[in-house]
Amino acid sequence: MNVSSHTALPDTAQSGSAKILDGALAAKAVNQELAQKIATYISSGKRKPALAVVLVGENPASEVYVKNKILTCKELGIESHLKRFSKDASKEEIIAGLKELNDDATIDGILLQLPLPGQLPTNEILDSIAPDKDVDGLHPYNLGLLFSGVPGLQPCTPKGIIVLLQYYQIPIKGKNVVVIGRSNLVGKPVAGLLLQQDATVTICHSRTENLAGICKQADILVVAAGKQEMVGKDWVKPGACVVDVGIHRLKESTSQPDGKAKSKIVGDVCFDEVKSIAGHITPVPGGVGKMTVAMLMVNTIFAYEQHIGIQTSS
Ligand SMILES: NC(=O)c1ccc[n+]([C@@H]2O[C@H](COP(=O)([O-])OP(=O)(O)OC[C@H]3O[C@@H](n4cnc5c(N)ncnc54)[C@H](OP(=O)(O)O)[C@@H]3O)[C@@H](O)[C@H]2O)c1
């Protein structure tokens, strides 16, 4: 997928002084390109690509994410299979289910929806997914490829951040990029991908001294700390590009006519404050989250192409 091929800069809505990096718009462009590609494969007699989504327990947020992923598969022409396990399922049961999917030649990608219920060893279970079907890109083999600069299945959220920056033609090469967060899911892989794009990358974490001062040096600030509205305008260099990865669902006390509590989603960045000083900013919702689902689809098609014997770069 040539995501940097947009010749015209897309419209950017103005909000305060910052331009909004609209993840829904970029994801739509990615999905349209994928849908065309899939239609071409199918019309040439190839089988349909297929994604298996594995859900353990009944976490309400996970249910919403899984529903969105299955819906997107349907829109693009990807078959989806939902495999559910109860919240009390054992590690052995889940690994056995994943192995069945590994051995099923009609399945291209396997997505294990995170987080798993607390008693389960997430890494051990993730590692039992075959690397060639690991569309979340979290298997140590695929993370190794990423840090070696070899094409492969890359984690969806970090890859989505790069594609979003490329879509809006935000320069990365030679820029000073600060990433807050060092998780295997977001912080470390996004830093690795930014390094491949020739950025000068600083990774910060909970023990970093002078965090605000370091952030204020950033041309691009990626915030993946999981701390609600932690970054205010005093942390941001005027004109910087701010990418907010955080997702926090807040329940508002005012109840709706239907009796249900209203919920609001915010990120790790104080959007209203930071938009007055940043040059570009991602909204929450409607920013990085939209790109994550689109990259899951990109990875599923990458895996499918490997399985049907078509050579591509990721
Ligand atoms: N939009 C999406 O599609 C998407 C996808 C994945 C995650 N997310 C969201 O992104 C956020 C981060 O996710 P994650 O899985 O990376 O979280 P995580 O595993 O909890 O990692 C958080 C990282 O932030 C660091 N950190 C925490 N508090 C900090 C502080 N006060 N100052 C500096 N660093 C701090 C931690 O440092 P230590 O290592 O020192 O503890 C850790 O490295 C969450 O809100 C999550 O919901 C969104």
Side-chain angles (χ1 to χ4, degrees), residues 157 181-183 185 205-206 211 224-227 230 245-247 289 292:
T157 302
R182 56 174 164 180
S183 70
L185 185 64
H205 46 80
S206 65
L211 182 60
K227 293 281 177 275
M230 179 180 101
V245 185
I247 302 179
T292 299

Side-chain angles (χ1 to χ4, degrees), residues 65 157 180-187 204-208 211 223-227 230 235 244-248 267-268 287-293:
Y65 293 139
T157 302
I180 310 182
R182 56 174 164 180
S183 70
N184 288 340
L185 185 64
V186 187
C204 301
H205 46 80
S206 65
R207 309 297 155 92
T208 298
L211 182 60
V223 191
K227 293 281 177 275
M230 179 180 101
W235 294 37
D244 188 354
V245 185
I247 302 179
H248 307 274
D268 286 357
V288 172
K290 295 281 180 196
M291 297 306 291
T292 299
V293 181

Side-chain angles (χ1 to χ4, degrees), residues 84-157:
R84 283 180 176 271
F85 289 91
S86 82
K87 67 178 185 342
D88 304 317
S90 67
K91 169 185 93 176
E92 289 76 15
E93 280 174 86
I94 300 167
I95 290 179
L98 292 172
K99 290 216 159 120
E100 269 175 34
L101 295 170
N102 287 343
D103 294 339
D104 184 341
T106 65
I107 298 290
D108 296 296
I110 303 170
L111 173 102
L112 177 63
Q113 183 64 45
L114 299 178
L116 296 178
Q119 79 281 6
L120 291 165
T122 301
N123 287 344
E124 192 182 339
I125 295 175
L126 278 175
D127 293 356
S128 68
I129 296 174
D132 65 300
K133 298 191 178 186
D134 166 40
V135 284
D136 241 350
L138 296 175
H139 191 284
Y141 177 83
N142 287 318
L143 288 173
L145 291 182
L146 185 159
F147 284 99
S148 310
V150 176
L153 292 166
Q154 298 172 338
C156 298
T157 302

Side-chain angles (χ1 to χ4, degrees), residues 20 34 69 83 92 129 152 175 184 227 234 255 261 292:
I20 301 295
L34 277 180
K69 287 166 187 175
K83 196 170 179 102
E92 289 76 15
I129 296 174
K175 297 296 173 190
N184 288 340
K227 293 281 177 275
D234 295 347
S255 63
T292 299

